[in-house]
């Protein structure tokens, strides 16, 4: 049944050209919901059954397209569906002005590209055959290109789109080369050939090819140059999707390859940690040199790719040196941070888009005082900002705490050189977090506190509910993960179990997370209450005392507050 729905959705996607105006949007939303329900049912069944769920996706069409869904696939399907849903809901309000300026054909191509991006990402996560996977990967890249050049009549946007496509194709060449090398020994062409190949060959050279190919998509430095300008150019709801799920597809590829590697783990771990530290430091440093809100968030995506890579690299280091705590906590924290970043970054991109709709500028230097004129957007932006900074009771705290705790447990390594390496990673991660906290504090003060620094900021008004509802949805998930981590740690633990066997260190961390989360929730609640009181308009207190029978002329009222 699910296969038929999937085929029907793919075939019906061209139907967006048959509708006009708002009807076009609702038709595409209907098809997205069909995809979400179908892919979510696959993920739920795979997680419930355990192991790998296999079936032929094109059986009803008379073709063979084998699908394999394990916990890693299911995890990414969940992130894809949730982020796409929030992005499509946000598009309803954000595209209102575009419906007045863009042609019906351009809007149709936009909805078609978004549908095929959704389709292709689902296929990328579920296909293991080399040819089918590479075709799906190309479909994903081309669909993203179509979304980036939505306003293709502008030469600068078209130039950015072509630069993105060129760099992604270079990464595609490295992925193709790695799969060809693995299949050159007579093995099956695809991911399933990697297990046999790595048992007889050193994994590091081929993994390096995969890392360059997938890492260029994930935004690892120095393969990141396409990412900031692309996310700046795309419409805001597409920028959220690019940062939330499209970029992490590169991380999916790296994690998929790692499921087949059981030797040479130490050099691979150090390679991943080195590039992750570089990405985190470069990304966090460049983030707060930006004045455009979207470009700022784009560089922060690079920093968070580094944090995720640090968690995965630390987990590999734990496996290589037989440290169960470092392995379990590193992998679980890194994998969970993929979901946390998708939620937080989507919320912040939506916030920047709402500010742009209200003020017609994304320049932070021209804002100020928005917490008074746009209180709902301001508080939701603050929520996403605190989550990305890793404050307690928010989702980012859970994943970063696991990575930090795993690194501390890893200090039991027997050699001074390895201890020094772990200390270096710990210090680097602390520096990345510190820069992020200080930088976002400054951004919030400039954009939302103080006095307006432009007429547009002075006359800003709160956006409509169709732009606020997706932000609220993201915020609810952020708080749910932060306040109730055990359930989500169990789901993430199913993914980590593909790499590590002992997950008891995760159970040991749950009480600390619950305790810290409750204290953090109290402090955050008190802080928000104080901010609400400070920004609530005060009625002037008037004193006009005089004798009832007095013939004196009443004095002018004196206002306080």
């Amino acid at each position: 049944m699910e296969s038929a729905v999937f085929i029907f959705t793919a075939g019906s996607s061209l139907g967006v050209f048959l509708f006009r105006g708002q009807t076009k949007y609702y038709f595409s939303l209907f098809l997205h919901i069909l995809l979400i329900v179908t892919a979510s049912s696959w993920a739920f069944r795979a997680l419930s059954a355990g192991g790998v769920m296999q079936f032929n996706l094109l059986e009803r069409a008379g073709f063979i397209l084998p699908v394999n869904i394990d916990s890693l696939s299911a995890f990414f399907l969940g992130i894809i569906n949730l982020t796409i849903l929030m992005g499509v809901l946000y598009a309803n309000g954000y595209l209102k002005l575009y419906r007045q300026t863009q042609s019906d054909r351009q809007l149709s191509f936009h909805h078609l590209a978004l549908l095929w991006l959704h389709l292709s990402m689902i296929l990328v996560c579920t296909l293991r055959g080399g040819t089918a996977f590479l075709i799906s990967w190309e479909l994903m890249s081309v669909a993203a290109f179509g979304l980036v050049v939505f306003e293709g009549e502008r030469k600068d946007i078209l130039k950015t789109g072509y630069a993105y496509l060129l760099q992604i194709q270079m990464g595609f060449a490295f992925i193709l080369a790695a799969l060809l090398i693995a299949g050159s020994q007579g093995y099956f062409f695809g991911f399933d050939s990697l297990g046999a190949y790595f048992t007889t060959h050193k994994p590091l050279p081929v993994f390096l090819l995969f890392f360059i190919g997938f890492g260029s998509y994930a935004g690892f430095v120095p393969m990141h140059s396409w990412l900031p300008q692309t996310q700046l150019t795309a419409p805001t709801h597409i920028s959220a999707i690019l940062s939330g799920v499209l970029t992490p597809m590169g991380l999916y590829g790296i994690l998929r390859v790692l499921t087949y590697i059981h030797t040479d783990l130490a050099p691979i771990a150090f390679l991943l940690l080195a590039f992750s530290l570089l990405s985190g430091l470069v990304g966090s440093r460049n983030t707060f040199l930006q004045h455009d809100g979207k470009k700022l968030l784009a560089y922060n995506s690079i920093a968070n790719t580094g944090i995720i890579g640090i968690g995965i690299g630390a987990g590999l280091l734990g496996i290589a040196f037989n440290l169960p705590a470092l392995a379990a906590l590193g992998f679980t924290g890194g994998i969970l941070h993929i979901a946390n970043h998708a939620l937080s970054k989507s919320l912040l991109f939506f916030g920047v888009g709402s500010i742009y709709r209200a003020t017609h500028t994304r320049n932070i230097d021209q804002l100020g005082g928005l917490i008074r004129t746009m209180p709902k957007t301001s508080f939701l932006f603050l929520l996403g900002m605190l989550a990305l900074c890793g404050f307690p009771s928010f989702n980012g705290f859970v994943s970063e705490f696991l990575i930090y705790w795993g690194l501390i447990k890893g200090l039991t390594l027997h050699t001074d050189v390895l201890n020094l390496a772990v200390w270096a990673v710990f210090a680097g991660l602390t520096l990345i977090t510190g820069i992020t906290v200080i930088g976002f504090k400054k951004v919030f003060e400039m954009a939302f506190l103080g006095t307006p620094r432009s007429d547009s900021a002075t006359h800003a008004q709160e956006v409509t509910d169709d732009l606020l509802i997706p932000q609220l949805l993201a915020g609810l998930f952020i708080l749910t993960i932060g306040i109730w981590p055990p359930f989500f740690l169990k789901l993430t633990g199913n993914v980590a179990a593909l790499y590590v066997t002992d997950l008891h260190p995760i159970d040991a961390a749950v009480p600390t997370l619950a305790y810290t989360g409750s204290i953090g929730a109290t402090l955050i609640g008190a802080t928000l209450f104080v901010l609400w009181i400070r920004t609530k308009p005060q009625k002037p207190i008037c004193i006009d005392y005089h004798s009832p029978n007095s013939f004196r002329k009443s004095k002018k009222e004196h206002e306080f507050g």
Side-chain angles (χ1 to χ4, degrees):
M1 178 63 181
E2 293 91 345
S3 300
V5 172
F6 196 88
I7 297 170
F8 167 78
T9 306
S12 302
S13 60
L14 292 173
V16 294
F17 289 94
L18 303 177
F19 299 95
R20 294 186 178 277
Q22 193 79 347
T23 309
K24 187 192 305 292
Y25 166 79
Y26 287 121
F27 177 73
S28 67
L29 176 63
F30 169 71
L31 294 181
H32 280 294
I33 291 174
L34 284 181
L35 286 175
I36 290 170
V37 172
T38 303
S40 299
S41 69
W42 294 349
F44 179 77
R45 286 160 52 190
L47 290 174
S48 300
V52 180
M53 186 178 74
Q54 299 176 321
F55 59 92
N56 180 13
L57 182 61
L58 298 181
E59 182 178 4
R60 291 182 176 273
F63 300 99
I64 298 176
L65 185 62
V67 165
N68 298 269
I69 304 175
D70 58 4
S71 56
L72 179 62
S73 302
F75 177 77
F76 272 88
L77 287 176
I79 298 174
I80 290 168
N81 288 333
L82 180 58
T83 308
I84 288 286
L85 176 62
M86 293 187 299
V88 173
L89 291 176
Y90 189 83
N92 182 38
Y94 197 77
L95 289 177
K96 283 180 180 177
L97 294 181
Y98 283 107
R99 294 189 186 104
Q100 302 172 12
T101 59
Q102 303 294 99
S103 67
D104 189 73
R105 181 188 299 176
Q106 284 176 299
L107 290 168
S108 297
F109 274 113
H110 179 77
H111 289 298
L112 180 66
L114 187 53
L115 279 166
W116 274 96
L117 179 69
H118 195 179
L119 279 161
S120 58
M121 286 194 293
I122 292 173
L123 292 174
V124 164
C125 291
T126 56
L127 300 179
R128 305 280 182 88
T131 303
F133 174 84
L134 292 173
I135 291 174
S136 300
W137 191 268
E138 277 295 276
L139 281 174
M140 181 177 70
S141 303
V142 173
F145 168 77
L147 293 168
V148 169
V149 298
F150 177 45
E151 298 179 83
E153 65 276 5
R154 292 172 49 185
K155 291 184 178 180
D156 57 331
I157 290 180
L158 206 57
K159 182 179 178 180
T160 299
Y162 284 130
Y164 151 78
L165 201 59
L166 176 62
Q167 293 185 58
I168 291 305
Q169 294 310 307
M170 293 172 63
F172 176 84
F174 280 94
I175 299 171
L176 175 61
L179 287 174
L180 287 173
I181 292 172
S184 63
Q185 305 297 317
Y187 305 121
F188 175 74
F189 179 64
F191 284 108
D192 289 338
S193 67
L194 298 180
Y197 180 83
F198 289 147
T199 57
T200 56
H201 298 79
K202 286 282 187 180
L204 183 58
V206 172
F207 175 80
L208 183 58
L209 292 175
F210 275 122
F211 179 76
I212 295 173
F214 289 123
S216 62
Y217 219 88
F220 281 102
V221 175
M223 303 164 286
H224 69 292
S225 58
W226 64 272
L227 193 151
Q229 195 63 32
T230 302
Q231 294 189 7
L232 173 66
T233 299
T236 295
H237 59 289
I238 300 303
S239 298
I241 293 171
L242 291 177
S243 179
V245 287
L246 188 65
T247 302
M249 294 308 294
L251 295 168
Y252 167 80
I254 294 171
L255 286 167
R256 175 59 64 199
V257 173
L258 288 175
T259 59
Y260 299 97
I261 298 178
H262 306 289
T263 59
D264 251 2
L265 292 177
I268 291 174
F270 283 119
L271 171 74
L272 193 53
L273 285 171
F275 278 98
S276 299
L277 270 176
L278 178 64
S279 302
L281 292 171
V282 171
S284 58
R285 176 188 177 275
N286 288 331
T287 293
F288 302 106
L289 297 177
Q290 312 305 318
H291 300 281
D292 188 291
K294 286 178 69 175
K295 202 167 186 178
L296 180 149
L297 295 178
Y299 273 107
N300 184 254
S301 298
I302 297 171
N304 277 271
T305 294
I307 294 175
I308 295 165
I310 288 173
I312 297 170
L316 283 175
L317 203 63
I319 298 174
F321 293 97
N322 195 25
L323 294 168
L326 179 59
L329 294 170
F331 263 112
T332 306
I335 293 169
L336 179 60
H337 200 73
I338 297 173
N340 291 342
H341 171 254
L343 289 167
S344 305
K345 194 54 63 66
S346 295
L347 175 54
L348 291 179
F349 267 114
F350 294 155
V352 170
S354 298
I355 292 170
Y356 181 74
R357 276 287 175 262
T359 64
H360 306 290
T361 181
R362 294 192 304 265
N363 191 327
I364 298 170
D365 297 334
Q366 296 178 7
L367 301 176
L370 294 182
I371 198 168
R372 297 178 180 86
T373 54
M374 302 178 68
K376 297 176 183 178
T377 298
S378 301
F379 284 126
L380 287 168
F381 193 94
L382 177 63
L383 193 154
M385 185 190 73
L386 293 174
L388 271 186
C389 291
F391 276 78
S393 79
F394 295 97
N395 59 350
F397 171 78
V398 179
S399 51
E400 292 189 26
F401 174 85
L402 293 176
I403 298 174
Y404 275 115
W405 192 244
L407 290 171
I408 292 173
K409 293 288 187 180
L411 291 174
T412 58
L413 293 171
H414 302 297
T415 65
D416 293 336
V417 176
L418 292 176
N419 275 328
L420 182 62
V422 175
W423 271 116
V425 174
F426 186 91
L429 182 58
T430 304
L431 183 59
I432 294 168
T433 304
I435 294 173
T436 302
V437 172
I438 295 172
F440 270 119
K441 174 181 176 292
K442 183 179 178 181
V443 168
F444 191 79
E445 288 176 346
M446 292 186 66
F448 298 98
L449 303 181
T451 57
R453 289 183 293 278
S454 65
D455 289 339
S456 58
T458 302
H459 300 98
Q461 294 182 348
E462 187 60 88
V463 293
T464 53
D465 289 343
D466 50 7
L467 294 177
L468 288 171
I469 289 174
Q471 299 178 58
L472 182 61
L473 180 62
L476 289 175
F477 273 96
I478 286 171
L479 290 175
T480 302
I481 296 175
I483 296 173
W484 189 36
F487 174 76
F488 297 94
L489 288 178
K490 184 178 180 181
L491 290 178
T492 313
N494 291 333
V495 185
L498 294 173
Y499 310 93
V500 297
T501 55
D502 185 4
L503 297 176
H504 288 96
I506 301 175
D507 298 329
V510 169
T512 304
L513 284 170
Y515 178 73
T516 310
S518 61
I519 295 177
T522 304
L523 293 175
I524 296 298
T527 303
L528 292 177
F529 179 75
V530 171
L531 285 174
W532 179 73
I533 291 295
R534 290 183 62 184
T535 56
K536 184 179 179 182
Q538 302 259 342
K539 291 184 178 181
I541 301 174
C542 303
I543 299 179
D544 183 22
Y545 175 77
H546 58 85
S547 176
N549 297 322
S550 174
F551 291 98
R552 290 181 302 170
K553 188 180 292 185
S554 60
K555 296 181 179 180
K556 187 179 180 180
E557 294 181 349
H558 186 74
E559 297 182 355
F560 295 85

